[in-house]
Amino acid sequence: MDKKKLGIIIAIILVILIIAIAVGVGIYLNKKSKDNTQSSNNTTENQVEELNSANMADQAPLIDMTNTQNVKISNGEKINISSKVAEEKEIAGLKITNIKLQTDKGISTFTAIVKNISETDFVGGTFELNFLKGDSSTLERLETFIPAIKVGKTTTINASTTADIVNASDVIISSYVTEVKKDNFS
């Protein structure tokens, strides 16, 4: 073999060796960078969890489980038992039934079935829920949206809050915005 061919072969081997070393170093640095990022993310997630736990420990629960007026306690949750809350209500050609007011994991939730009992399609609107204390003063006000409902059809509505409203003695439902286009039925 002459020196020229031997020099070319050695040069090719050196180029291949340099490329292999560069690829190996790149893979190593990339893996190390990912490990550091993952470790940093884990630390950040752990710090966030610790802060959330500390904040939750500092806050008093918003639901007063010792106040049992108008409620029963079942499986650690409050359920409203006021007959006035549960009464069927009618507003704007809608019959509101199956009203439930209860807590779920620290959140007070109002749910009900709404049926369009009018002779026209209901176009939808926002309604105010005024939860009353035993002396008829306001405990809390919430908004709920009742979507478009065709004549004779029903839908379910709900509203939730962190406020402790489950002890309400009554709920008054009033409409104050009904600006929804009839295109909802398309």
Side-chain angles (χ1 to χ4, degrees), residues 28-160:
Y28 171 77
L29 291 176
N30 189 26
K31 182 178 182 335
K32 187 170 183 166
S33 174
K34 281 184 182 176
D35 289 345
N36 286 342
T37 302
Q38 191 171 17
S39 174
S40 174
N41 285 346
N42 286 343
T43 301
T44 303
E45 289 172 12
N46 289 340
Q47 289 169 340
V48 168
E49 285 181 28
E50 288 172 11
L51 285 172
N52 285 341
S53 296
N55 288 340
M56 292 299 280
D58 291 342
Q59 294 177 356
L62 297 175
I63 304 298
D64 180 3
M65 298 304 280
T66 62
N67 183 356
T68 57
Q69 180 181 10
N70 297 319
V71 299
K72 70 176 182 175
I73 308 291
S74 177
N75 297 322
E77 300 293 348
K78 290 170 71 171
I79 301 168
N80 185 287
I81 56 171
S82 168
S83 60
K84 295 288 280 177
V85 168
E87 281 179 355
E88 288 185 359
K89 297 168 181 7
E90 286 188 27
I91 185 168
L94 304 172
K95 182 186 281 188
I96 302 168
T97 61
N98 202 27
I99 299 170
K100 293 183 178 148
L101 185 55
Q102 61 191 48
T103 61
D104 183 21
K105 298 177 185 156
I107 303 292
S108 297
T109 303
F110 168 92
T111 59
I113 305 288
V114 181
K115 182 174 184 175
N116 183 350
I117 58 172
S118 73
E119 295 180 10
T120 60
D121 293 339
F122 177 71
V123 295
T126 302
F127 288 74
E128 182 178 78
L129 307 172
N130 188 6
F131 297 93
L132 303 178
K133 297 177 186 176
D135 64 1
S136 297
S137 64
T138 297
L139 177 64
E140 186 75 30
R141 292 175 202 254
L142 295 178
E143 291 180 1
T144 189
F145 182 78
I146 301 177
I149 310 171
K150 290 191 175 264
V151 173
K153 300 296 180 183
T154 62
T155 191
T156 302
I157 61 169
N158 63 52
S160 298

Side-chain angles (χ1 to χ4, degrees), residues 141-186:
R141 292 175 202 254
L142 295 178
E143 291 180 1
T144 189
F145 182 78
I146 301 177
I149 310 171
K150 290 191 175 264
V151 173
K153 300 296 180 183
T154 62
T155 191
T156 302
I157 61 169
N158 63 52
S160 298
T161 181
T162 56
D164 190 0
I165 59 170
V166 181
N167 295 92
S169 61
D170 197 2
V171 60
I172 305 298
I173 302 172
S174 56
S175 64
Y176 65 101
V177 177
T178 55
E179 299 291 326
V180 179
K181 296 179 182 176
K182 286 195 174 212
D183 295 342
N184 288 345
F185 294 109
S186 301

